[in-house]
Amino acid sequence: MKAEIIAVGTELLVGDILNTNAQFLSRRLFALGIDVYYQTVVGDNPDRLTKAVSLAFSRADTVIFSGGLGPTDDDLTKETVASYFGVPLLFHEEIAEQITSYLHRPCSESNKKQAYIPEGAFILENKRGTAPGVILEHEGKTAILLPGPPRELLPMFSEMVEPYLKARSGFVMAERMVRLFGIGESSVGDMIRDLMESANPSVAPYAKDSEVTLRIAAKAQTQEEAEALIKEMHERLKERLGAYIYGYDEQDMVTTTAALLLKKGLTIACAESCTAGLLAGALGNIPGISACLNESVVTYSNEAKIKYLGVLPETLSAHGAVSRQTAGEMAEGIRKTAGADVGVSITGIAGPDGGTPEKPVGLVYVGVSIADAVTVRELHLIGTREKIRQAAVLHALNEIRTRLLAET
Amino acid sequence: MKAEIIAVGTELLVGDILNTNAQFLSRRLFALGIDVYYQTVVGDNPDRLTKAVSLAFSRADTVIFSGGLGPTDDDLTKETVASYFGVPLLFHEEIAEQITSYLHRPCSESNKKQAYIPEGAFILENKRGTAPGVILEHEGKTAILLPGPPRELLPMFSEMVEPYLKARSGFVMAERMVRLFGIGESSVGDMIRDLMESANPSVAPYAKDSEVTLRIAAKAQTQEEAEALIKEMHERLKERLGAYIYGYDEQDMVTTTAALLLKKGLTIACAESCTAGLLAGALGNIPGISACLNESVVTYSNEAKIKYLGVLPETLSAHGAVSRQTAGEMAEGIRKTAGADVGVSITGIAGPDGGTPEKPVGLVYVGVSIADAVTVRELHLIGTREKIRQAAVLHALNEIRTRLLAET
C-alpha cells in the first residue's frame, strides 16, 4: 500500500502553524508498514487543491488529508475530494444533531455544512469537535479526510483510522510506549544503540517536555506473535533502563502519580512558589482527584509562606525563599495545615530575571513531606520561564511517586 | 514572485523529524510578500526528487530546498537540481579549505563532495556546518539550496537569502493579528464574510483554545502604504467586532490581563476549585508577576472553602459548592484573606463525572471581587475536562480584564 499526506490550509503556507499532523501521520503510517513517498501542503484554494488531489492519486492508492473540514466557506477539502471522485454530498440529520449536542445550541447554517458527507463514505464521529472525519473508497482509491486540529485528528486516527488501515494491511502491528524520566535522549541513545538497529521489533526514542519515550513497534501475522516480539524487547529495555522507566503508553507522569495516590487512598496538598499553582492544577486534571486533593496554596511572597505554612522568618532571612531549608518547611507546613498525608513544595527561580551567581535562574527545590520525613531535591533546570516551571512540576510529581513507592 | 518549498529527507517521510524548516521559510517568505502555494516533502530518492523539482518549477519561479546537501551518498539535492538545469558541478578548492578549517582536520573524500557547486551559482558560506548553500539562477528560474539542520538553515537564510530576495521583490508587507474572545469562529465568519473576500489587505480567521484570531495582511510599495491598508481594515473590524477585541499580535489573554494589573499596580489573589491552581499558575508565567500575585488558594473541598475563604456553611448547604452564591463568597473571601485589591474565584463541574440535570458538566461560575463589588459570571463550557478547565481560566482572565477596564 502506498499513501500520501496532504495538509490543507493557508495558515500552514504562511507559516502560522507547524505541520505536526504530517509528522504524526507519517510516523503512524510507517509503523503500519505503509510507504509514504510525498507529503504536500496546499492552501484553501479549490483549483490548487484539486490539482494536488489529482497528482496524489496518480502516485498513491491512499491519500490522507488533514484540515479544511471547518464550517467556513474557505474549508473545501470534502467538497473538492467528492467532486474529484464525482460523488455527491448528502446531508446527514444525525450529524447535525451530534453538532447541536456538542455545541449545546442549534446547529448554525455554517455548521450545517459539516453535516454533508460524500455518498457511500464511512463517517468518523468527532467527539472533540464539530467536523466529522470521512473515509471514501472509490474505484481502488481511498481518501481519508481528518479535521486539522491535532486534538481532534490524533484520537480520531488512533481510534478509527488505524484499525481500518490495519484490517486492510493483512498483518498486525503492536506497539508499546515506554516512558522514561530523569535521563536525556542522547544518553538513552548511547545505552541502547544496538537495540535501535533492530528492524522488527523496532525501537525509536522521542524527546518531549523533559521526558524521553521509547516506542517499541512489532509486525507479525498474529496479535500474539507481535505482542511476543514487543515483550522480548521490553525486557531488554528494562535490563538497561529500568531505573528510569516510570510508565507505559498513555500513563504520563501526572496520571501515574495521581493513580498511586488514589490507589493508596492518600491525601495530598501542595505549596507552590515559582510554579504558582501549576502542580495542583496538573493533579486537578485527573478525574476523581478530589478524593486526594482537598486544598493547596500558592505562596509567592515571604509573608504568605509564613502565614499559610508556618515557615520560620529566621529560615527565610538566613537561607532565603529559594533554599533547601525553606522548601522543607513549606512541605511540612502544608502537610500539617491541610491535615494531608503528603505535603509537597516547590520554590525556585524561574527567570528570566532574579538570578544571582549563587542562585541562578533554574535553581529549584522540591520538598516532599510524608509521615514526618521530609526530603528535598535540588534541581538545576534550563530553558525559558515556562519550560523551567513545567519541568519543576514534572520533577515534583516524580519525587512524590518515588517517595510513595519507597514507603511501601 | 511565486515560490515553493521542498524539504528533502526520508527522515521527514517516516516521521522522525518535524518539518520546522517549512514553517520558518513560509513565514519569512510571507513577510517578504512572496506567495507560497505548495510545500512538498520528498525522500532521498533521485527519481522522485527529480519529479518534485520539475513539478515545482512548472508552478513557481523560485524553489527553496532544505536538506540533502550532506556528505553521504544519499544526499542528492545539489546533484539533482544541477542535472535538472543541465549545469555541471565544479570543484571549489576554497570550499574544501573552509570545510577543513571548520572540521579541524583534512577534508575527507565524503566532505569533498560538498565542495562541488553548480557552475555559475552564488555560494552561501556555512559558518555552522560543512554544507555550503547555493543560489542558482537559470533561464528565469531560481533554485535556493539550504542545509537541513535548522541551526545552519535559519541563520543562512536570515543573513544571505533574505537580503537577496528583498532586493528582488520591490514591495513590502505588513501584518497585524487581532485577538478576539467570547465569540466563535463561525459567528466571526458570519459577521465579516464580505471583508474576508478582500485580497489586499486580506483578513483570515484562526481558531485556537477558545479564542479566534484575525490576521490582517497588506502588500504595498512602501511600509507606510502597507500600514495604512492594515489600519483601514482594522477600523472596519473594530466597527463590527470591537466588543470582542482584547489584544493584538503577541498579547494573549494572560499577558493582556497581567499587564493591566501591573500597570494599575493592583494585587490579585485567586481561589480556585475545579481549575485547582491553573489560573494562578497561568498568571505566574508572566515575568514580574510577583508584584501583583502574593498568594492564592486551591479549595477543592467544602471544608477548605470555609477554612480559607470564610464561605458560609449555610451558603454551601443551600446552594451547593457550584453556585453563583458560593462563587461570590469565594471571590470576596480570598480578596479579604489575602488583603488583595482583586479577588477572583472559579468553581464548576469539569467532568467527566459529577454532572446532574440541574448542574451539568461544563457549568462554571467565575467571581470577581473589586472594592466590595462582586460580580459572578455563569458559564456553560463544552469539551473534555482539560478543555473546560482551560476555558474557565481564559474566561476568568477576561472577567478580571473587563472589570478592571470598567473601574477606570
Side-chain angles (χ1 to χ4, degrees):
Chain A
M1 194 180 345
K2 267 195 270 182
E4 292 202 12
I5 296 164
I6 299 182
V8 185
T10 303
E11 63 274 30
L12 289 161
L13 289 182
V14 299
D16 274 349
I17 290 184
L18 190 54
N19 191 5
T20 56
N21 287 339
Q23 185 190 24
F24 169 81
L25 294 169
S26 285
R27 189 183 282 172
R28 291 301 186 91
L29 292 169
F30 178 77
L32 289 166
I34 298 170
D35 288 324
V36 175
Y37 289 154
Y38 296 92
Q39 298 169 356
T40 305
V41 175
V42 60
D44 302 303
N45 172 288
D47 179 46
R48 287 190 287 271
L49 180 53
T50 301
K51 285 181 180 154
V53 172
S54 167
L55 177 67
F57 278 116
S58 75
R59 302 184 295 208
D61 43 49
T62 299
V63 180
I64 302 187
F65 298 82
S66 80
L69 301 183
T72 60
D73 291 344
D74 65 353
D75 290 302
L76 294 160
T77 306
K78 208 165 48 185
E79 292 74 4
T80 305
V81 171
S83 154
Y84 172 77
F85 282 132
V87 171
L89 291 167
L90 303 179
F91 182 74
H92 286 247
E93 189 58 45
E94 78 278 13
I95 296 177
E97 283 164 16
Q98 280 163 8
I99 293 172
T100 300
S101 153
Y102 179 82
L103 294 173
H104 297 296
R105 62 166 169 75
C107 189
S108 68
E109 281 308 308
S110 296
N111 286 121
K112 271 192 186 145
K113 174 172 173 303
Q114 300 184 295
Y116 281 85
I117 301 290
E119 188 175 36
F122 302 111
I123 299 168
L124 308 174
E125 191 189 345
N126 187 344
K127 295 169 194 148
R128 297 158 190 89
T130 56
V134 169
I135 298 179
L136 180 59
E137 296 176 347
H138 190 86
E139 297 175 357
K141 303 285 187 184
T142 303
I144 301 176
L145 283 60
L146 302 172
R151 54 174 292 281
E152 300 174 29
L153 179 143
L154 270 59
M156 188 180 283
F157 186 88
S158 299
E159 291 163 16
M160 290 175 275
V161 179
E162 210 159 37
Y164 166 84
L165 292 172
K166 271 184 188 165
R168 269 194 8 189
S169 73
F171 50 81
V172 296
M173 296 287 306
E175 67 167 48
R176 185 171 303 168
M177 307 296 284
V178 180
R179 293 172 166 268
L180 312 178
F181 191 79
I183 186 169
E185 189 180 14
S186 64
S187 303
V188 172
D190 291 345
M191 288 167 76
I192 61 162
R193 193 159 312 268
D194 55 329
L195 302 181
M196 284 165 62
E197 278 165 19
S198 158
N200 186 31
S202 64
V203 179
Y206 304 107
K208 196 191 156 207
D209 298 344
S210 317
E211 290 190 30
V212 177
T213 300
L214 293 171
R215 178 177 210 271
I216 314 175
K219 185 192 281 195
Q221 292 298 316
T222 69
Q223 195 67 35
E224 290 67 35
E225 285 166 24
E227 296 287 352
L229 287 170
I230 294 275
K231 190 168 176 230
E232 181 200 328
M233 180 59 83
H234 182 196
E235 291 303 323
R236 298 177 73 178
L237 291 175
K238 277 204 282 195
E239 282 164 26
R240 311 246 186 123
L241 294 163
Y244 303 103
I245 298 174
Y246 77 85
Y248 298 95
D249 299 325
E250 300 307 308
Q251 303 169 301
D252 61 11
M253 184 61 82
V254 65
T255 308
T256 303
T257 303
L260 208 53
L261 286 164
L262 286 161
K263 188 178 148 207
K264 288 174 172 265
L266 299 174
T267 56
I268 188 168
C270 315
E272 300 180 64
S273 189
C274 63
T275 51
L278 290 185
L279 172 59
L283 285 167
N285 210 41
I286 305 300
I289 196 69
S290 56
C292 300
L293 182 68
N294 294 316
E295 58 189 77
S296 285
V297 296
V298 175
T299 52
Y300 241 127
S301 67
N302 281 353
E303 292 69 31
K305 291 183 181 76
I306 296 166
K307 177 167 107 178
Y308 288 103
L309 307 170
V311 173
L312 297 174
E314 305 83 75
T315 305
L316 291 165
S317 57
H319 304 285
V322 178
S323 66
R324 184 174 285 279
Q325 292 80 358
T326 299
E329 290 187 22
M330 286 172 69
E332 208 171 350
I334 189 65
R335 185 176 63 75
K336 291 181 177 165
T337 301
D341 299 308
V342 181
V344 53
S345 67
I346 302 177
T347 180
I349 298 163
D353 306 315
T356 64
E358 295 76 38
K359 297 189 178 180
V361 169
L363 176 67
V364 175
Y365 292 94
V366 169
V368 176
S369 167
I370 301 177
D372 287 326
V374 184
T375 50
V376 178
R377 168 88 59 181
E378 180 177 312
L379 306 170
H380 297 270
L381 305 173
I382 53 173
T384 60
R385 180 177 177 87
E386 187 171 2
K387 207 176 164 200
I388 287 171
R389 297 173 78 235
Q390 294 289 357
V393 167
L394 285 178
H395 278 276
L397 290 165
N398 191 51
E399 282 299 302
I400 300 163
R401 186 184 70 83
T402 49
R403 280 291 305 272
L404 290 177
L405 290 175
E407 292 289 315
T408 34
Chain B
M1 191 179 352
K2 269 194 267 183
E4 293 201 12
I5 295 164
I6 299 181
V8 186
T10 302
E11 64 273 31
L12 289 160
L13 289 181
V14 298
D16 275 349
I17 289 186
L18 190 54
N19 191 3
T20 56
N21 287 339
Q23 184 189 27
F24 168 81
L25 294 169
S26 285
R27 189 181 281 168
R28 291 302 186 87
L29 292 169
F30 179 80
L32 290 166
I34 298 170
D35 289 325
V36 175
Y37 290 154
Y38 296 94
Q39 296 168 357
T40 304
V41 175
V42 60
D44 302 304
N45 173 289
D47 180 45
R48 288 191 286 272
L49 179 54
T50 301
K51 283 181 182 154
V53 171
S54 167
L55 178 67
F57 278 116
S58 76
R59 303 183 295 207
D61 43 49
T62 300
V63 179
I64 301 186
F65 298 82
S66 81
L69 302 183
T72 60
D73 290 346
D74 66 353
D75 290 301
L76 295 160
T77 306
K78 207 165 50 184
E79 291 73 6
T80 305
V81 171
S83 155
Y84 173 76
F85 283 133
V87 172
L89 290 167
L90 305 178
F91 183 72
H92 287 246
E93 189 59 45
E94 79 278 13
I95 296 178
E97 283 165 17
Q98 281 164 9
I99 293 173
T100 300
S101 153
Y102 178 83
L103 293 174
H104 297 296
R105 61 167 171 75
C107 187
S108 68
E109 280 310 306
S110 296
N111 284 122
K112 271 191 187 151
K113 174 172 174 300
Q114 300 184 295
Y116 280 85
I117 301 290
E119 186 176 36
F122 301 111
I123 299 168
L124 307 173
E125 190 190 344
N126 188 344
K127 297 169 195 150
R128 297 160 190 89
T130 56
V134 169
I135 299 180
L136 179 60
E137 296 177 348
H138 190 85
E139 296 175 0
K141 303 285 187 186
T142 303
I144 300 176
L145 283 59
L146 302 173
R151 56 176 292 280
E152 300 175 29
L153 180 142
L154 270 59
M156 188 181 282
F157 186 88
S158 299
E159 292 164 14
M160 289 176 276
V161 179
E162 206 159 39
Y164 166 83
L165 292 172
K166 264 186 189 161
R168 269 191 13 187
S169 78
F171 53 79
V172 294
M173 293 292 301
E175 67 169 50
R176 185 171 302 168
M177 307 298 283
V178 180
R179 291 172 166 269
L180 312 178
F181 190 79
I183 185 168
E185 187 181 14
S186 66
S187 304
V188 171
D190 291 344
M191 287 167 78
I192 61 161
R193 194 159 312 262
D194 55 330
L195 302 182
M196 283 166 63
E197 279 164 15
S198 160
N200 185 31
S202 65
V203 180
Y206 304 108
K208 195 191 157 206
D209 298 342
S210 316
E211 291 190 31
V212 177
T213 299
L214 294 170
R215 179 200 183 98
I216 316 176
K219 185 191 282 197
Q221 294 298 315
T222 68
Q223 195 67 35
E224 291 68 33
E225 285 167 25
E227 296 288 351
L229 287 168
I230 295 274
K231 193 170 175 224
E232 182 200 326
M233 180 58 83
H234 183 195
E235 290 302 322
R236 297 177 74 177
L237 292 174
K238 278 205 281 193
E239 283 165 24
R240 310 247 185 120
L241 295 164
Y244 303 103
I245 298 174
Y246 77 86
Y248 298 95
D249 299 323
E250 299 307 308
Q251 303 168 302
D252 62 10
M253 183 62 83
V254 64
T255 307
T256 303
T257 303
L260 208 53
L261 286 165
L262 286 162
K263 187 178 146 207
K264 287 175 173 265
L266 298 175
T267 57
I268 188 168
C270 314
E272 302 180 63
S273 189
C274 64
T275 50
L278 291 185
L279 172 58
L283 284 169
N285 211 41
I286 305 299
I289 197 68
S290 56
C292 300
L293 183 68
N294 294 315
E295 57 189 77
S296 285
V297 296
V298 174
T299 53
Y300 240 127
S301 68
N302 281 354
E303 292 67 33
K305 291 183 181 75
I306 296 166
K307 174 167 107 178
Y308 287 104
L309 308 170
V311 173
L312 296 173
E314 305 85 72
T315 304
L316 290 165
S317 58
H319 304 285
V322 178
S323 66
R324 185 175 285 280
Q325 291 81 358
T326 298
E329 290 187 22
M330 286 172 70
E332 208 171 350
I334 189 63
R335 185 175 63 76
K336 290 182 176 161
T337 300
D341 299 309
V342 181
V344 53
S345 68
I346 302 177
T347 180
I349 298 161
D353 307 314
T356 65
E358 296 76 37
K359 297 189 178 180
V361 169
L363 176 66
V364 175
Y365 293 94
V366 169
V368 177
S369 167
I370 301 177
D372 287 328
V374 183
T375 51
V376 178
R377 167 87 59 179
E378 180 176 314
L379 305 170
H380 298 269
L381 304 174
I382 54 176
T384 59
R385 181 177 176 88
E386 186 171 2
K387 205 177 165 195
I388 287 171
R389 297 173 78 234
Q390 294 289 358
V393 167
L394 284 178
H395 278 276
L397 290 166
N398 192 50
E399 282 299 302
I400 300 164
R401 187 184 69 83
T402 49
R403 280 292 305 273
L404 289 178
L405 291 175
E407 292 288 315
T408 35

